[in-house]
Amino acid sequence: MLIFNIKNLLKTRQVEKPHAFLVKAGLSSHSAHNILNAHSRVYRLDHIEKLCEILHCEPNDLLTYVPDSNKILADNHPLHKLTPKNEEFDWQHTLKTLPLEELKEVAKFISQSKQNKEIE
C-alpha cells in the first residue's frame, strides 16, 4: 500500500509548525489537516505539486510503500524503491557533533555538489 509520508520530510526540512507552514504555502486548513494526518487516500495533483515546490522534493519523496500481506510483489518491482530504508537517521545531531574539520569537509562537499549541479 502506498502511504503519504510527509511528516518525515517536514521534519527533515526542520519545519516546526507543519500545519501553519502548509496553510501559509497556499493549502486550505482542511487540506493541510488531511495531508498531515493521512486522512485521505486521494490527493490532488496540484497539492502534490505545491508540496514538491515548497519542500524542494519530487513526488516519490512524499510516498512510502508498505507491503501488503495479501499481495506479493517480485523483489525487483519498482514499488520496492519506495520502501523506507533507515528514516531514523538524525542528521542534525550528526552535524552538531562533528568535529570542526570534518564539518568543513562536509560544507566543501555540499558546495562542490551545488556547483556541479549548476554546470549540468
PDB file of all heavy atoms in Angstrom, residues 81-103:
ATOM      1  N   LYS A  81      11.349   0.457  -4.359  1.00  0.00           N
ATOM      2  CA  LYS A  81      12.223   1.624  -4.212  1.00  0.00           C
ATOM      3  C   LYS A  81      11.642   2.629  -3.218  1.00  0.00           C
ATOM      4  O   LYS A  81      12.354   3.460  -2.673  1.00  0.00           O
ATOM      5  CB  LYS A  81      12.434   2.309  -5.558  1.00  0.00           C
ATOM      6  CG  LYS A  81      13.228   1.487  -6.539  1.00  0.00           C
ATOM      7  CD  LYS A  81      13.340   2.206  -7.868  1.00  0.00           C
ATOM      8  CE  LYS A  81      14.035   1.338  -8.891  1.00  0.00           C
ATOM      9  NZ  LYS A  81      14.057   1.968 -10.223  1.00  0.00           N
ATOM     10  N   LEU A  82      10.336   2.552  -3.009  1.00  0.00           N
ATOM     11  CA  LEU A  82       9.672   3.476  -2.088  1.00  0.00           C
ATOM     12  C   LEU A  82       9.572   2.922  -0.664  1.00  0.00           C
ATOM     13  O   LEU A  82       8.990   3.558   0.203  1.00  0.00           O
ATOM     14  CB  LEU A  82       8.272   3.822  -2.606  1.00  0.00           C
ATOM     15  CG  LEU A  82       8.218   4.557  -3.934  1.00  0.00           C
ATOM     16  CD1 LEU A  82       6.771   4.726  -4.375  1.00  0.00           C
ATOM     17  CD2 LEU A  82       8.908   5.893  -3.837  1.00  0.00           C
ATOM     18  N   THR A  83      10.125   1.754  -0.436  1.00  0.00           N
ATOM     19  CA  THR A  83      10.122   1.184   0.909  1.00  0.00           C
ATOM     20  C   THR A  83      11.155   1.918   1.747  1.00  0.00           C
ATOM     21  O   THR A  83      12.297   2.078   1.321  1.00  0.00           O
ATOM     22  CB  THR A  83      10.475  -0.325   0.862  1.00  0.00           C
ATOM     23  OG1 THR A  83       9.546  -0.977   0.001  1.00  0.00           O
ATOM     24  CG2 THR A  83      10.406  -0.951   2.235  1.00  0.00           C
ATOM     25  N   PRO A  84      10.774   2.400   2.924  1.00  0.00           N
ATOM     26  CA  PRO A  84      11.735   3.145   3.738  1.00  0.00           C
ATOM     27  C   PRO A  84      12.928   2.277   4.127  1.00  0.00           C
ATOM     28  O   PRO A  84      12.772   1.115   4.480  1.00  0.00           O
ATOM     29  CB  PRO A  84      10.938   3.561   4.971  1.00  0.00           C
ATOM     30  CG  PRO A  84       9.651   2.864   4.913  1.00  0.00           C
ATOM     31  CD  PRO A  84       9.494   2.246   3.566  1.00  0.00           C
ATOM     32  N   LYS A  85      14.091   2.865   4.052  1.00  0.00           N
ATOM     33  CA  LYS A  85      15.313   2.148   4.419  1.00  0.00           C
ATOM     34  C   LYS A  85      15.655   2.412   5.875  1.00  0.00           C
ATOM     35  O   LYS A  85      15.471   1.595   6.731  1.00  0.00           O
ATOM     36  CB  LYS A  85      16.482   2.586   3.519  1.00  0.00           C
ATOM     37  CG  LYS A  85      16.197   2.413   2.038  1.00  0.00           C
ATOM     38  CD  LYS A  85      15.988   0.959   1.651  1.00  0.00           C
ATOM     39  CE  LYS A  85      15.809   0.804   0.175  1.00  0.00           C
ATOM     40  NZ  LYS A  85      14.496   0.600  -0.319  1.00  0.00           N
ATOM     41  N   ASN A  86      16.149   3.606   6.147  1.00  0.00           N
ATOM     42  CA  ASN A  86      16.530   3.970   7.508  1.00  0.00           C
ATOM     43  C   ASN A  86      16.143   5.423   7.734  1.00  0.00           C
ATOM     44  O   ASN A  86      16.957   6.318   7.549  1.00  0.00           O
ATOM     45  CB  ASN A  86      18.030   3.763   7.726  1.00  0.00           C
ATOM     46  CG  ASN A  86      18.441   4.054   9.149  1.00  0.00           C
ATOM     47  OD1 ASN A  86      17.615   4.285  10.016  1.00  0.00           O
ATOM     48  ND2 ASN A  86      19.733   4.055   9.395  1.00  0.00           N
ATOM     49  N   GLU A  87      14.909   5.643   8.117  1.00  0.00           N
ATOM     50  CA  GLU A  87      14.414   7.008   8.263  1.00  0.00           C
ATOM     51  C   GLU A  87      14.746   7.625   9.615  1.00  0.00           C
ATOM     52  O   GLU A  87      14.466   8.776   9.856  1.00  0.00           O
ATOM     53  CB  GLU A  87      12.896   7.029   8.052  1.00  0.00           C
ATOM     54  CG  GLU A  87      12.505   6.673   6.646  1.00  0.00           C
ATOM     55  CD  GLU A  87      11.025   6.815   6.413  1.00  0.00           C
ATOM     56  OE1 GLU A  87      10.361   7.537   7.165  1.00  0.00           O
ATOM     57  OE2 GLU A  87      10.536   6.195   5.474  1.00  0.00           O
ATOM     58  N   GLU A  88      15.348   6.866  10.484  1.00  0.00           N
ATOM     59  CA  GLU A  88      15.624   7.357  11.829  1.00  0.00           C
ATOM     60  C   GLU A  88      16.978   8.039  11.946  1.00  0.00           C
ATOM     61  O   GLU A  88      17.404   8.361  13.030  1.00  0.00           O
ATOM     62  CB  GLU A  88      15.512   6.204  12.837  1.00  0.00           C
ATOM     63  CG  GLU A  88      14.111   5.624  12.933  1.00  0.00           C
ATOM     64  CD  GLU A  88      13.048   6.657  13.285  1.00  0.00           C
ATOM     65  OE1 GLU A  88      13.276   7.491  14.179  1.00  0.00           O
ATOM     66  OE2 GLU A  88      11.989   6.659  12.642  1.00  0.00           O
ATOM     67  N   PHE A  89      17.687   8.240  10.838  1.00  0.00           N
ATOM     68  CA  PHE A  89      18.980   8.906  10.878  1.00  0.00           C
ATOM     69  C   PHE A  89      18.780  10.364  11.278  1.00  0.00           C
ATOM     70  O   PHE A  89      18.046  11.105  10.639  1.00  0.00           O
ATOM     71  CB  PHE A  89      19.665   8.818   9.514  1.00  0.00           C
ATOM     72  CG  PHE A  89      20.988   9.530   9.467  1.00  0.00           C
ATOM     73  CD1 PHE A  89      22.067   9.042  10.179  1.00  0.00           C
ATOM     74  CD2 PHE A  89      21.137  10.684   8.736  1.00  0.00           C
ATOM     75  CE1 PHE A  89      23.279   9.695  10.145  1.00  0.00           C
ATOM     76  CE2 PHE A  89      22.343  11.339   8.703  1.00  0.00           C
ATOM     77  CZ  PHE A  89      23.421  10.847   9.401  1.00  0.00           C
ATOM     78  N   ASP A  90      19.432  10.767  12.336  1.00  0.00           N
ATOM     79  CA  ASP A  90      19.306  12.139  12.845  1.00  0.00           C
ATOM     80  C   ASP A  90      20.485  12.961  12.339  1.00  0.00           C
ATOM     81  O   ASP A  90      21.497  13.105  13.009  1.00  0.00           O
ATOM     82  CB  ASP A  90      19.253  12.125  14.371  1.00  0.00           C
ATOM     83  CG  ASP A  90      18.935  13.489  14.967  1.00  0.00           C
ATOM     84  OD1 ASP A  90      18.876  14.471  14.207  1.00  0.00           O
ATOM     85  OD2 ASP A  90      18.763  13.554  16.184  1.00  0.00           O
ATOM     86  N   TRP A  91      20.360  13.490  11.131  1.00  0.00           N
ATOM     87  CA  TRP A  91      21.471  14.209  10.523  1.00  0.00           C
ATOM     88  C   TRP A  91      21.779  15.522  11.239  1.00  0.00           C
ATOM     89  O   TRP A  91      22.918  15.959  11.263  1.00  0.00           O
ATOM     90  CB  TRP A  91      21.221  14.437   9.033  1.00  0.00           C
ATOM     91  CG  TRP A  91      20.021  15.263   8.714  1.00  0.00           C
ATOM     92  CD1 TRP A  91      18.753  14.825   8.504  1.00  0.00           C
ATOM     93  CD2 TRP A  91      19.969  16.676   8.612  1.00  0.00           C
ATOM     94  NE1 TRP A  91      17.922  15.878   8.266  1.00  0.00           N
ATOM     95  CE2 TRP A  91      18.640  17.032   8.328  1.00  0.00           C
ATOM     96  CE3 TRP A  91      20.915  17.688   8.734  1.00  0.00           C
ATOM     97  CZ2 TRP A  91      18.241  18.345   8.166  1.00  0.00           C
ATOM     98  CZ3 TRP A  91      20.515  19.009   8.564  1.00  0.00           C
ATOM     99  CH2 TRP A  91      19.192  19.323   8.277  1.00  0.00           C
ATOM    100  N   GLN A  92      20.751  16.147  11.854  1.00  0.00           N
ATOM    101  CA  GLN A  92      21.006  17.386  12.578  1.00  0.00           C
ATOM    102  C   GLN A  92      21.950  17.139  13.752  1.00  0.00           C
ATOM    103  O   GLN A  92      22.906  17.882  13.967  1.00  0.00           O
ATOM    104  CB  GLN A  92      19.697  18.020  13.083  1.00  0.00           C
ATOM    105  CG  GLN A  92      18.835  18.558  11.980  1.00  0.00           C
ATOM    106  CD  GLN A  92      17.578  17.734  11.789  1.00  0.00           C
ATOM    107  OE1 GLN A  92      17.501  16.586  12.196  1.00  0.00           O
ATOM    108  NE2 GLN A  92      16.589  18.319  11.136  1.00  0.00           N
ATOM    109  N   HIS A  93      21.679  16.061  14.490  1.00  0.00           N
ATOM    110  CA  HIS A  93      22.542  15.719  15.628  1.00  0.00           C
ATOM    111  C   HIS A  93      23.948  15.363  15.134  1.00  0.00           C
ATOM    112  O   HIS A  93      24.944  15.760  15.735  1.00  0.00           O
ATOM    113  CB  HIS A  93      21.947  14.560  16.428  1.00  0.00           C
ATOM    114  CG  HIS A  93      22.833  14.092  17.529  1.00  0.00           C
ATOM    115  ND1 HIS A  93      23.030  14.826  18.682  1.00  0.00           N
ATOM    116  CD2 HIS A  93      23.608  12.989  17.647  1.00  0.00           C
ATOM    117  CE1 HIS A  93      23.871  14.183  19.460  1.00  0.00           C
ATOM    118  NE2 HIS A  93      24.241  13.058  18.852  1.00  0.00           N
ATOM    119  N   THR A  94      24.006  14.625  14.038  1.00  0.00           N
ATOM    120  CA  THR A  94      25.305  14.239  13.484  1.00  0.00           C
ATOM    121  C   THR A  94      26.122  15.472  13.121  1.00  0.00           C
ATOM    122  O   THR A  94      27.314  15.555  13.438  1.00  0.00           O
ATOM    123  CB  THR A  94      25.113  13.340  12.244  1.00  0.00           C
ATOM    124  OG1 THR A  94      24.365  12.188  12.643  1.00  0.00           O
ATOM    125  CG2 THR A  94      26.433  12.915  11.649  1.00  0.00           C
ATOM    126  N   LEU A  95      25.490  16.441  12.463  1.00  0.00           N
ATOM    127  CA  LEU A  95      26.211  17.662  12.101  1.00  0.00           C
ATOM    128  C   LEU A  95      26.647  18.459  13.330  1.00  0.00           C
ATOM    129  O   LEU A  95      27.744  19.013  13.359  1.00  0.00           O
ATOM    130  CB  LEU A  95      25.349  18.545  11.194  1.00  0.00           C
ATOM    131  CG  LEU A  95      25.179  18.059   9.764  1.00  0.00           C
ATOM    132  CD1 LEU A  95      24.243  18.990   8.997  1.00  0.00           C
ATOM    133  CD2 LEU A  95      26.515  17.955   9.047  1.00  0.00           C
ATOM    134  N   LYS A  96      25.787  18.504  14.339  1.00  0.00           N
ATOM    135  CA  LYS A  96      26.124  19.251  15.561  1.00  0.00           C
ATOM    136  C   LYS A  96      27.309  18.652  16.298  1.00  0.00           C
ATOM    137  O   LYS A  96      28.029  19.353  16.991  1.00  0.00           O
ATOM    138  CB  LYS A  96      24.920  19.295  16.501  1.00  0.00           C
ATOM    139  CG  LYS A  96      23.830  20.216  16.046  1.00  0.00           C
ATOM    140  CD  LYS A  96      22.666  20.182  17.030  1.00  0.00           C
ATOM    141  CE  LYS A  96      21.500  20.970  16.533  1.00  0.00           C
ATOM    142  NZ  LYS A  96      20.342  20.863  17.425  1.00  0.00           N
ATOM    143  N   THR A  97      27.499  17.344  16.165  1.00  0.00           N
ATOM    144  CA  THR A  97      28.544  16.678  16.935  1.00  0.00           C
ATOM    145  C   THR A  97      29.796  16.372  16.128  1.00  0.00           C
ATOM    146  O   THR A  97      30.752  15.809  16.673  1.00  0.00           O
ATOM    147  CB  THR A  97      28.001  15.361  17.544  1.00  0.00           C
ATOM    148  OG1 THR A  97      27.524  14.521  16.500  1.00  0.00           O
ATOM    149  CG2 THR A  97      26.891  15.651  18.537  1.00  0.00           C
ATOM    150  N   LEU A  98      29.817  16.745  14.842  1.00  0.00           N
ATOM    151  CA  LEU A  98      31.018  16.523  14.038  1.00  0.00           C
ATOM    152  C   LEU A  98      32.137  17.455  14.479  1.00  0.00           C
ATOM    153  O   LEU A  98      31.892  18.633  14.786  1.00  0.00           O
ATOM    154  CB  LEU A  98      30.733  16.810  12.562  1.00  0.00           C
ATOM    155  CG  LEU A  98      30.197  15.703  11.686  1.00  0.00           C
ATOM    156  CD1 LEU A  98      29.967  16.227  10.276  1.00  0.00           C
ATOM    157  CD2 LEU A  98      31.103  14.509  11.659  1.00  0.00           C
ATOM    158  N   PRO A  99      33.364  16.960  14.508  1.00  0.00           N
ATOM    159  CA  PRO A  99      34.490  17.868  14.752  1.00  0.00           C
ATOM    160  C   PRO A  99      34.530  18.935  13.661  1.00  0.00           C
ATOM    161  O   PRO A  99      34.110  18.694  12.521  1.00  0.00           O
ATOM    162  CB  PRO A  99      35.712  16.951  14.668  1.00  0.00           C
ATOM    163  CG  PRO A  99      35.194  15.578  14.907  1.00  0.00           C
ATOM    164  CD  PRO A  99      33.785  15.571  14.386  1.00  0.00           C
ATOM    165  N   LEU A 100      35.041  20.099  13.995  1.00  0.00           N
ATOM    166  CA  LEU A 100      35.024  21.247  13.086  1.00  0.00           C
ATOM    167  C   LEU A 100      35.685  20.927  11.744  1.00  0.00           C
ATOM    168  O   LEU A 100      35.164  21.311  10.692  1.00  0.00           O
ATOM    169  CB  LEU A 100      35.705  22.455  13.736  1.00  0.00           C
ATOM    170  CG  LEU A 100      35.628  23.757  12.958  1.00  0.00           C
ATOM    171  CD1 LEU A 100      34.185  24.130  12.658  1.00  0.00           C
ATOM    172  CD2 LEU A 100      36.306  24.871  13.719  1.00  0.00           C
ATOM    173  N   GLU A 101      36.803  20.229  11.753  1.00  0.00           N
ATOM    174  CA  GLU A 101      37.480  19.905  10.491  1.00  0.00           C
ATOM    175  C   GLU A 101      36.608  19.033   9.594  1.00  0.00           C
ATOM    176  O   GLU A 101      36.561  19.227   8.391  1.00  0.00           O
ATOM    177  CB  GLU A 101      38.836  19.228  10.761  1.00  0.00           C
ATOM    178  CG  GLU A 101      39.908  20.189  11.230  1.00  0.00           C
ATOM    179  CD  GLU A 101      40.131  21.349  10.276  1.00  0.00           C
ATOM    180  OE1 GLU A 101      40.254  21.120   9.048  1.00  0.00           O
ATOM    181  OE2 GLU A 101      40.165  22.498  10.753  1.00  0.00           O
ATOM    182  N   GLU A 102      35.910  18.062  10.178  1.00  0.00           N
ATOM    183  CA  GLU A 102      35.027  17.209   9.380  1.00  0.00           C
ATOM    184  C   GLU A 102      33.826  17.999   8.874  1.00  0.00           C
ATOM    185  O   GLU A 102      33.356  17.781   7.762  1.00  0.00           O
ATOM    186  CB  GLU A 102      34.570  16.000  10.204  1.00  0.00           C
ATOM    187  CG  GLU A 102      35.677  14.995  10.462  1.00  0.00           C
ATOM    188  CD  GLU A 102      35.205  13.804  11.260  1.00  0.00           C
ATOM    189  OE1 GLU A 102      34.018  13.411  11.132  1.00  0.00           O
ATOM    190  OE2 GLU A 102      36.023  13.257  12.011  1.00  0.00           O
ATOM    191  N   LEU A 103      33.334  18.925   9.685  1.00  0.00           N
ATOM    192  CA  LEU A 103      32.217  19.770   9.271  1.00  0.00           C
ATOM    193  C   LEU A 103      32.622  20.650   8.081  1.00  0.00           C
ATOM    194  O   LEU A 103      31.837  20.858   7.151  1.00  0.00           O
ATOM    195  CB  LEU A 103      31.739  20.628  10.446  1.00  0.00           C
ATOM    196  CG  LEU A 103      30.444  21.384  10.258  1.00  0.00           C
ATOM    197  CD1 LEU A 103      29.302  20.442   9.888  1.00  0.00           C
ATOM    198  CD2 LEU A 103      30.092  22.144  11.521  1.00  0.00           C
TER     199      LEU A 103
END
